[in-house]
Amino acid sequence: MEEILKIDSVAHYNSLRGCPTKHPLITVIDLADAQVITAHSINFGLYVISLKELHLGQLRYGRSHYDHQNGSLFFLAPGQVVGVHPGAERSLPQGRVLIFHPDLIKGTSLGRHMQEYSFFSYDANEALHLSDKEKGIVLGCFDKIEDEIDQSIDKHSKTLITSNIELLLNYCTRFYDRQFFTRDDANKGILEKFEQLLQSYFASDKPQLEGLPSVAYCAEALHLSPNYFGDVIKRETGRSAQEYIQLKVIDMAKERVFDKYKSVSEIAYELGFKYPQHFTRLFKQKTGFTPNNYRTMN
């Protein structure tokens, strides 16, 4: 079993890259001037925003593989693992990387909204591909952050640095919206596969054996990260993936409640509910009627 290198501090990362530490909680590094980290797998206890401008061979990120192209931006949250596949060709990297410790954003506007940037949990094959103009904006944000790091630390440093990181992430949110739009056909394919997955799930005995399908289960079956999958479904349908699953369950239930030989409890268990009262509550929430009332009305 390969050893995983753990990096929990900015100073440790800088030392591995052969770069000075100008600020204890954040660094911006030009990869062309930095040493290559030889570990095959790294567990970061830090936030990482990495812009790769040159093909680096096959990178491994979580359980997926991805060939980075010019202008690819990917994100890591603390606790995630990234590495280079042992058989991949090692090229001298070009690009820049922004690393910051979670403590940097505590008590700031960015810290309060950090969970909204769902792309930190995307898989590598869901990376952000930048146009030349978008890449220029990203590099401009990197420059502003680096300029502030080069200043002497004072009472304004934290606010200015985190504000510029937040600006960068807000731009990335806009660029991902653009990427979802330009990949509209591919995303519609995801929605179709999602619908087929639910149809086959409820046509099998999986609901009785495994319960209701979760968002994580559906994302795994479609080879997507849960956050990316959820964002695609939200964009395509206007509903969360969880709500889409629930509406599918209610559609199935509406058909089955007309079978007068089955009790509501039997239908609930068939659909994957552990407790019939949970089924009744959801059914009434979505239709305005209990299953028995709906059956009687129709």
Side-chain angles (χ1 to χ4, degrees):
M1 188 175 184
E2 68 181 37
E3 185 176 350
I4 298 177
L5 173 64
K6 191 165 186 178
I7 300 178
D8 285 327
S9 71
V10 169
H12 185 194
Y13 181 82
N14 283 335
S15 68
L16 293 170
R17 288 294 193 185
C19 299
T21 297
K22 299 176 183 178
H23 190 291
L25 298 178
I26 186 170
T27 188
V28 176
I29 291 176
D30 187 329
L31 295 175
D33 300 328
Q35 298 175 4
V36 175
I37 298 177
T38 57
H40 289 153
S41 295
I42 304 172
N43 184 340
F44 281 96
L46 311 164
Y47 287 100
V48 180
I49 304 172
S50 182
L51 173 65
K52 304 294 186 182
E53 299 187 70
L54 183 67
H55 177 78
L56 295 177
Q58 195 176 47
L59 289 186
R60 185 176 73 255
Y61 179 32
R63 63 179 180 277
S64 300
H65 293 82
Y66 179 71
D67 292 326
H68 283 283
Q69 301 171 355
N70 291 347
S72 293
L73 197 64
F74 75 97
F75 307 82
L76 287 170
Q80 291 177 290
V81 177
V82 67
V84 179
H85 192 277
E89 178 184 354
R90 296 290 187 88
S91 305
L92 287 176
Q94 290 183 12
R96 296 171 82 180
V97 61
L98 166 65
I99 308 275
F100 60 95
H101 196 279
D103 286 353
L104 177 71
I105 63 175
K106 287 182 177 177
T108 67
S109 170
L110 177 58
R112 290 189 291 274
H113 299 285
M114 197 66 189
Q115 72 279 1
E116 297 174 10
Y117 301 107
S118 55
F119 42 77
F120 275 95
S121 296
Y122 287 1
D123 277 347
N125 60 335
E126 300 152 357
L128 177 60
H129 303 295
L130 302 171
S131 67
D132 287 340
K133 183 177 180 179
E134 290 168 348
K135 185 168 71 172
I137 291 172
V138 168
L139 289 172
C141 290
F142 274 60
D143 287 340
K144 289 179 182 178
I145 294 167
E146 190 168 22
D147 286 345
E148 189 57 40
I149 294 172
D150 287 337
Q151 305 295 322
S152 299
I153 298 176
D154 58 27
K155 66 179 181 179
H156 304 290
S157 299
K158 183 174 182 176
T159 299
L160 291 170
I161 290 172
T162 57
S163 295
N164 279 296
I165 297 173
E166 192 167 11
L167 177 64
L168 169 62
L169 296 179
N170 287 336
Y171 272 120
C172 291
T173 300
R174 169 188 279 179
F175 300 156
Y176 257 116
D177 282 346
R178 183 271 310 157
Q179 183 162 291
F180 280 129
F181 179 78
T182 55
R183 292 183 178 181
D184 195 44
D185 288 342
N187 292 340
K188 281 185 170 58
I190 291 172
L191 182 59
E192 291 170 1
K193 290 177 181 176
F194 181 32
E195 180 68 26
Q196 292 167 3
L197 175 66
L198 293 178
Q199 289 281 7
S200 61
Y201 189 91
F202 286 108
S204 70
D205 60 355
K206 285 185 177 179
Q208 298 95 310
L209 297 174
E210 301 177 22
L212 293 169
S214 66
V215 173
Y217 167 85
C218 295
E220 176 79 23
L222 297 174
H223 308 292
L224 299 168
S225 68
N227 275 7
Y228 185 86
F229 169 66
D231 289 346
V232 168
I233 299 305
K234 181 73 171 179
R235 179 177 177 82
E236 291 298 314
T237 69
R239 297 186 176 98
S240 69
Q242 182 63 36
E243 186 179 6
Y244 193 95
I245 292 170
Q246 290 176 345
L247 291 174
K248 186 66 177 179
V249 171
I250 296 306
D251 282 342
M252 296 281 184
K254 284 178 179 178
E255 295 177 7
R256 300 189 189 195
V257 292
F258 294 129
D259 185 346
K260 62 182 181 181
Y261 297 106
K262 287 184 179 178
S263 67
V264 171
S265 293
E266 287 176 310
I267 294 170
Y269 292 131
E270 283 181 0
L271 290 171
F273 287 87
K274 189 174 181 181
Y275 302 107
Q277 58 267 36
H278 292 173
F279 166 62
T280 299
R281 188 182 305 125
L282 179 64
F283 194 95
K284 186 173 183 180
Q285 177 188 336
K286 298 300 182 183
T287 68
F289 304 97
T290 66
N292 276 325
N293 287 341
Y294 188 86
R295 174 185 279 172
T296 302
M297 265 178 36
N298 291 277

